[in-house]
Amino acid sequence: GGAKRCIVDCENVETRGVDFHNSEGNSSILDGFTIKNASFSHGAAIRCKGSSPVIRNCIIKDNFGEYGVGIRCAEGASPIIENTLFTGNKSSNYGAGVYAVQGSKPKLINCTITNNKADVTGGGVYCEDVHLTITNSILSDNKPNEVFSNDSQAHPDTTSLTILSSLIRGGRNGIKIEENIKVAVNWLVG
């Protein structure tokens, strides 16, 4: 099996690839799938709404939508995303690779987020009103930026972004931060 052989091809029909929306916890595991050609406005390939599954060893590629194309984490979702590739995803607005909002706490570990494009911002990662941790990951060649981080006016000072031992193309210039949010950034030495 594995992600190169277990493929969910949504065939560019208006549908999500996978939808976690019933308070699924970490006993819900998506392991070793490719999800491609999904097309949906909010959370095309994967949506985590108030859910906290484990997603690992996946390839999320060539999906299209408006907000959160590769994965959308919303309403307190806290997924653990490990060893997953996000590539070739396109957003007509925000968050082509990863989109995290509304009190979510996603953790990205050993992920590669590359060659994703958002027409507005957050080509690689878009986060607002969340606590997002990126560990041992690579973000490169995402347009218009690798990471965009913001606080909403309704919930000021609620966003934190922690980047540990990760490679971000352009370093600090690859991260666009709006408003006065808390950001902790640790860089890989080497």
Side-chain angles (χ1 to χ4, degrees):
K4 292 187 178 182
R5 296 188 65 189
C6 297
I7 299 171
V8 177
D9 187 344
C10 298
E11 299 180 346
N12 296 310
V13 175
E14 188 174 344
T15 187
R16 287 189 176 102
V18 176
D19 193 3
F20 295 101
H21 64 279
N22 282 326
S23 302
E24 293 90 349
N26 61 12
S27 62
S28 294
I29 299 171
L30 181 67
D31 189 350
F33 285 87
T34 291
I35 302 170
K36 68 179 190 173
N37 299 323
S39 177
F40 207 83
S41 62
H42 291 71
I46 301 172
R47 178 178 75 158
C48 294
K49 179 180 176 184
S51 298
S52 302
V54 174
I55 299 163
R56 64 179 171 227
N57 304 316
C58 291
I59 299 170
I60 312 301
K61 70 176 194 171
D62 302 330
N63 300 288
F64 179 77
E66 290 184 69
Y67 302 96
V69 177
I71 186 168
R72 175 186 170 92
C73 306
E75 298 182 28
S78 298
I80 297 171
I81 306 159
E82 300 174 306
N83 303 316
T84 293
L85 169 64
F86 295 86
T87 189
N89 299 294
K90 294 182 178 90
S91 169
S92 62
N93 279 304
Y94 305 109
V98 175
Y99 181 86
V101 295
Q102 301 168 331
S104 296
K105 297 178 183 175
K107 293 180 180 174
L108 298 164
I109 304 163
N110 298 325
C111 292
T112 299
I113 303 170
T114 186
N115 293 311
N116 300 287
K117 182 181 183 296
D119 288 348
V120 178
T121 196
V125 175
Y126 177 94
C127 56
E128 179 177 303
D129 300 333
V130 299
H131 299 286
L132 173 65
T133 303
I134 301 171
T135 305
N136 295 326
S137 296
I138 298 169
L139 286 84
S140 69
D141 300 314
N142 297 291
K143 305 293 181 209
N145 40 42
E146 305 302 333
V147 179
F148 178 86
S149 190
N150 192 20
D151 264 347
S152 69
Q153 292 179 351
H155 302 97
D157 300 325
T158 58
T159 299
S160 69
L161 172 62
T162 303
I163 300 172
L164 304 165
S165 300
S166 295
L167 174 63
I168 297 180
R169 185 178 181 110
R172 291 186 188 275
N173 292 330
I175 302 171
K176 180 171 171 55
I177 299 170
E178 286 290 320
E179 319 241 349
N180 295 317
I181 65 170
K182 300 174 209 144
V183 178
V185 179
N186 297 313
W187 297 100
L188 177 65
V189 176

